[in-house]
Every structure is written in structure tokens, then in C-alpha cells.
């Protein structure tokens, strides 16, 4: 690692455009702007080092500058090889808001280099706090600590290309300092995790007794998962598919795999365009929800030959297999909006001699299969909305990132045990409150008698923790 580097971005001359785009998002990010105003003077993150591993977009640039305003010393990488907006990264580098290592179209090797650069300050020390999305920064540290306890783990056979790159990084780090990750983990006050998949990883670490520092699950703030995952995907899925293919959606058959928060947004979006939407689910509750929204709930096995467009939204593994792809219609479009690229069995395409790839343009490939038919795969099976478009709009990300900001302040100032926490209902309501004015919402106020009658304080919180919205 060359720790003298202050940034590695695609093109620093894009900074001016990045700054103008950030300025344009200010009105749409009222929660972040209010956080700057409220906490900026107190500087609750002063003297603290923050590592971010989260899609380096314009909205994230706004989060970074908010954390900077709160006093943090920041290093940043993207959490996906295709999700960086290069003008956003350039602006952050030029403004010296963070040391940033991110560009659109990283290789996997470069990706893990960027992640380690974001975690390592010039004196070799690590962060006090982490903002993670999908949990890769947290994973690198946890894997590093395991390998330092048992260096034979470094010689294991990697399961895939991704694991090989991670192991290579750990081997290189071990040579320089065989206690790097252990020292780093000991100092960390906590991580705030953005997404469903990253949160799953944290609960698994906690269950196995392997979690090394406190964590805040930002995803399960209501103002995150019931907004970003739902309304965010509702807009950015179509954006990704359209920028990539210009396909007419009306009249098409779209198969949405998984009907959780993301799937609900995707299904609604495609229906809004006039597509006929079929849903697959494994959970009877979500399947019933889909059916009662008027979607046909099918198995992929039965419906695979009908779909014009397939969207995986499960956060699960190999939901579309090679055998499924072989049965698809000619030029069916296959994409994933879940966090990792293993929802679609890309390895089948990449390692199967009968399958050939024709690159149409960046992040759009036409694969010809053994069946003799071809399909269009977007963003190499990675998040289509961030790979083929620019992710969610600012307004919804302001909700998510205000939660991130509050979580960072909590971890910095609170006294948390090594567990996974969520933010309080009061904070959740506060995040929503900060976004009402922009939409012209007029909120009603409880009278004292009404508040007493339903047994809540006049100023909230208004719902019990088990309420599901
Ligand atoms: P969720 O847990 O609410 O929904 C996932 C759904 O998939 C569940 O209802 C589950 O029953 C279903 N499922 C699991 N295996 C399945 C299978 N084999 N076939 C059919 N259905 C199956 O999770 P959420 O919040 O909807 O997130 C889904 C994924 O999207 C996660 O990886 C998350 O990290 C990611 N995400 C991506 C965003 C983006 O901008 N691209 C934004 C937010 C989340």
C-alpha cells in the first residue's frame, strides 16, 4: 500500500461538475443539511477517524461532507466495482473532504486494494468508526483477525475469484504487520451498516460470538428499509434497465424474484410502466402480500420461459441458475438489484465453455448459451441500479444517510457493547420529520387527552417497537 496517496479517482478534472451536482442535491437532502446545521457546531466526530465502504455517488458525497462537518477525518472506498460516480469521487478528492479510493469499473483486485486503503491511515493505524454497506470493510477486518490468530488460513484454497483477491490482500498485509487487523479491531468503536445483506452478516457474526466491535443496523430503521429499499428501488430499477437497454417495459412480462422491501418496490415500478409482473417467493407471508397486491405468484421453474425481464431481489444465492438461463426466451434481460452478484449464477456463464459473451457496452453483455439462444445480462449480475444507473435519488438517500449520521454520532458518543443495535424509534421519527417540509406535509398534533387515550407522549414516539408500518 502506498499510504502517501491522498486519492485514486478516475479523473480529478470532473470535480467541478461533481460539486455542482452536489449543490443541486442540497434541497433534496433536507435531513443531511439539518444534521450539518444541528451537529456541525458541536463537532461530535472531532478527532475520530471514519472509514466508509459505500457506493461513491453524489448522495454519498453529501454524506461524507456531512461527517466532515461533524469533525471526522475520513477515508472512503466504494462497496461495488461499478457503483462509483466518477465526478462525485473527484469532487470529494478535490475538496479534500476525504481521502478517496474509488472509480467506476474497478477490478476485484483493485476493489480490495481500495477497501484496505480506506481502512489504513498513513501511520498504519485504522479507523475509530466504519460506515459499511454490505459489510466488506467489516469482513476484511474480521478475516484479517482470524488469519492473524491462525496464519494457516491464508493458505486455504479460495472458493472464487473474489475470495482469492481478499486472501491476496490479507497475505500482503500479514507480511508488513502480522498484527495489523487485531490492533485495528481493538480500537474500533463501531460500525453502522447500511443494507439488508450486511446486516445479515453482522447478526451471523454476533450469533457465532465472533463480532469484534459494536454495530448499528441502520437498514432496519423504518426510515431506511421502508423507504430506500422500497421507493428507492421503485425508481432506480427502471432507471438502470432503461439506461442499459432502452427497452419498452409496457406489455412485457417481468419476473421479480423475492418480494421483500426491494421486491415490493421493483414489482410496483414495473407494474407502473404497464408490464405484467410475476413474483416468486419462498415466504408464505410475502407471497400472500404479493398475491393480494394483484401480482401472480409463480415458481421460476414454471414461469421461466415466459419472462422478458428477470430481476433478483432476494439477497440470496443462485436464485437464477444456469439451467434457468438455458430455458429463457431469446434476449430475455437478466439483472440483479440485491447486494451481491451471486444471486444469478454468473459462474455458470463465465466458466461454461458453451457460453460466449458479446459486450454491447459497459455493463451490458449478450451471452449466447448452450441452448443456442442468447440473453442480456446487466452489470455482470451486480446491482443494476448502481451499475447501469446512478442508484437511488437524493431525497430517499437523505433518509438513509441521516440515519447513518445519527448512528455514527451514537457510536462516537455512546457506550455500546459488542452487539448489533438499531437506532431508537425517537430517532427514526426524527429522520422522517426532517423530510416532511420538503414535501409540503402538514403534520397533525395530538391533544394531551388524545395522547393519554392512546398512551403515548404528545411528542412521540408514537408506535411500539413491534409495530410494522
Ligand atoms: P428482504 O429480506 O426484505 O427481502 C428478500 C426477500 O427474498 C424475502 O422476502 C425472502 O423471503 C425472499 N427470498 C429469499 N430467497 C428466495 C428465493 N430463493 N426465491 C424467492 N424469494 C426468495 O430484503 P430486502 O431489504 O428486500 O433486500 C434484498 C436485497 O437487496 C439485499 O441484498 C439488500 O442488501 C439489497 N438492497 C439493494 C438495494 C439497491 O439499491 N440495489 C437497496 C436496498 C437493499
Amino acid at each position: 500500500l502506498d499510504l502517501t496517496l491522498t486519492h485514486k479517482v478516475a479523473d480529478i478534472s470532473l470535480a467541478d461538475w461533481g460539486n455542482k451536482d452536489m449543490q443541486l442535491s442540497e434541497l433534496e437532502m433536507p435531513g443531511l443539511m439539518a444534521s450539518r446545521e444541528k451537529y456541525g457546531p458541536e463537532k461530535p466526530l472531532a478527532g475520530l477517524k471514519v472509514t466508509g465502504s459505500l457506493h461513491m455517488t453524489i448522495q454519498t458525497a453529501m454524506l461524507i461532507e456531512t461527517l466532515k462537518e461533524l469533525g471526522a477525518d475520513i477515508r472512503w472506498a466504494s462497496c461495488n466495482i461499478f457503483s462509483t460516480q466518477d465526478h462525485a469521487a473527484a469532487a470529494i478528492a478535490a475538496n479534500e473532504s476525504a481521502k478517496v479510493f474509488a472509480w467506476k469499473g474497478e477490478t476485484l483486485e483493485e476493489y480490495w486494494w481500495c477497501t484496505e486503503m480506506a481502512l489504513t491511515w498513513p501511520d498504519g493505524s485504522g479507523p475509530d468508526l466504519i460506515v459499511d454497506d454490505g459489510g466488506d470493510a467489516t469482513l476484511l477486518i474480521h478475516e484479517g483477525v482470524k488469519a492473524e490468530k491462525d496464519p494457516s488460513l491464508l493458505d486455504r484454497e479460495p472458493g472464487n475469484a473474489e475470495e482469492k483477491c481478499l486472501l491476496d490482500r490479507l497475505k500482503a498485509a500479514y507480511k508488513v504487520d502480522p498484527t495489523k487487523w487485531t490492533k485495528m479491531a481493538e480500537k474500533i468503536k463501531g460500525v453502522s451498516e447500511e443494507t439488508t445483506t450486511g446486516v445479515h452478516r453482522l447478526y451471523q457474526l454476533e450469533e457465532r460470538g465472533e463480532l469484534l466491535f459494536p454495530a448499528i443496523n441502520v437498514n432496519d430503521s423504518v426510515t431506511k428499509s421502508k423507504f430506500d429499499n422500497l421507493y428507492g428501488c421503485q425508481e432506480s430499477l427502471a432507471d438502470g434497465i432503461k439506461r442499459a437497454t432502452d427497452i419498452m417495459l409496457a406489455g412485457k412480462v417481468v419476473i421479480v424474484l423475492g418480494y421483500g422491501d426491494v421486491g415490493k418496490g421493483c414489482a410496483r415500478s414495473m407494474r407502473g410502466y404497464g408490464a405484467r409482473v410475476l413474483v416468486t417467493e419462498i415466504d408464505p407471508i410475502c407471497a400472500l402480500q404479493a398475491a393480494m397486491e394483484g401480482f401472480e405468484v409463480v415458481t421460476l421453474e414454471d414461469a421461466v420461459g415466459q419472462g422478458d425481464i428477470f430481476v433478483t431481489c432476494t439477497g440470496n444465492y443462485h436464485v437464477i441458475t444456469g439451467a434457468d438461463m438455458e430455458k429463457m426466451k431469446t434476449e430475455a434481460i437478466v439483472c440483479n438489484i440485491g447486494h451481491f452478484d451471486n444471486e444469478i449464477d454468473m459462474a455458470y456463464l463465465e466458466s461454461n465453455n458453451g457460453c460466449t459473451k458479446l459486450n454491447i457496452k459497459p455493463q451490458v453483455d449478450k451471452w449466447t448459451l448452450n441452448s443456442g439462444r442468447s440473453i442480456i445480462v446487466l452489470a455482470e449480475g451486480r446491482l443494476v441500479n448502481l451499475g447501469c444507473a446512478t442508484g437511488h435519488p437524493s431525497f430517499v438517500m437523505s433518509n438513509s444517510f441521516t440515519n447513518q449520521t445519527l448512528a455514527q454520532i451514537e457510536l462516537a458518543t455512546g457506550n455500546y457493547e459488542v452487539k448489533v443495535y438499531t437506532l431508537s424509534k425517537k430517532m427514526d421519527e426524527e429522520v422522517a420529520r426532517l423530510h416532511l417540509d420538503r414535501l409540503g406535509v402538514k403534520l397533525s398534533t395530538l391533544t394531551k387527552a388524545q395522547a393519554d387515550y392512546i398512551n403515548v407522549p404528545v411528542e412521540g414516539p408514537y408506535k411500539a417497537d413491534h409495530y410494522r408500518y
Side-chain angles (χ1 to χ4, degrees), residues 195-198 200 219 224-225 228-229 233 236 257-263 280-283 286 313-316 319 337-340 343 383 385-386 392:
T195 199
T196 317
T197 287
H200 283 321
N219 182 67
K224 199 286 180 178
S225 51
D228 167 321
N229 305 26
C233 291
S236 61
L257 297 103
Y259 195 73
D261 292 318
V262 169
T280 75
E281 250 300 339
I282 48 115
D283 178 333
C286 299
C313 321
T314 67
N316 205 344
V319 174
I337 197 165
H339 192 80
F340 285 120
E343 296 204 27
L383 310 140
N385 58 336
L386 284 136
H392 298 344

Side-chain angles (χ1 to χ4, degrees), residues 83-306:
S83 65
T84 296
Q85 285 181 272
D86 288 322
H87 66 319
I92 288 301
N95 300 354
E96 298 183 10
S97 303
K99 309 285 187 289
V100 55
F101 309 92
W103 58 96
K104 189 173 181 78
E106 295 160 4
T107 64
L108 284 176
E109 269 164 13
E110 289 165 342
Y111 173 80
W112 286 105
W113 176 86
C114 290
T115 308
E116 191 176 353
M117 284 298 280
L119 281 166
T120 316
W121 267 254
D123 63 0
S125 69
D128 301 289
L129 296 163
I130 299 174
V131 178
D132 220 350
D133 183 347
D136 276 351
T138 302
L139 175 81
L140 187 58
I141 298 169
H142 280 73
E143 288 295 311
V145 170
K146 268 197 230 162
E148 285 169 0
K149 280 197 189 124
D150 175 6
S152 72
L153 288 174
L154 292 172
D155 300 321
R156 71 177 183 262
E157 197 53 45
N160 54 36
E162 177 109 23
E163 192 182 355
K164 179 179 182 307
C165 296
L166 179 113
L167 280 175
D168 287 346
R169 281 253 63 84
L170 291 179
K171 280 181 204 162
Y174 191 79
K175 270 192 205 140
V176 179
D177 177 0
T179 58
K180 168 173 179 158
W181 305 106
T182 307
K183 283 183 291 193
M184 192 181 286
E186 277 165 8
K187 191 184 108 180
I188 291 173
K189 286 167 143 334
V191 56
S192 55
E193 168 57 51
E194 175 80 2
T195 199
T196 317
T197 287
V199 161
H200 283 321
R201 281 181 167 181
L202 286 172
Y203 285 117
Q204 280 171 11
L205 285 172
E206 187 182 35
E207 263 167 38
R208 294 199 298 260
E210 292 174 4
L211 186 65
L212 296 173
F213 35 79
I216 293 184
N217 163 359
V218 165
N219 182 67
D220 286 294
S221 291
V222 179
T223 48
K224 199 286 180 178
S225 51
K226 299 293 170 189
F227 291 82
D228 167 321
N229 305 26
L230 182 77
Y231 303 111
C233 291
Q234 185 176 316
E235 302 204 8
S236 61
L237 169 68
D239 193 7
I241 294 175
K242 286 201 161 278
R243 289 198 207 197
T245 65
D246 294 315
I247 193 91
M248 179 87 184
L249 291 165
K252 295 291 189 309
V253 174
V254 179
I255 303 191
V256 172
L257 297 103
Y259 195 73
D261 292 318
V262 169
K264 287 177 176 72
C266 292
R268 196 187 288 171
S269 166
M270 296 293 104
R271 175 159 71 187
Y273 278 92
R276 187 151 66 86
V277 180
L278 311 184
V279 169
T280 75
E281 250 300 339
I282 48 115
D283 178 333
I285 298 177
C286 299
L288 187 60
Q289 285 180 310
M292 293 190 66
E293 275 297 319
F295 297 113
E296 192 179 339
V297 183
V298 297
T299 63
L300 184 60
E301 204 182 4
D302 289 346
V304 69
Q306 285 181 58

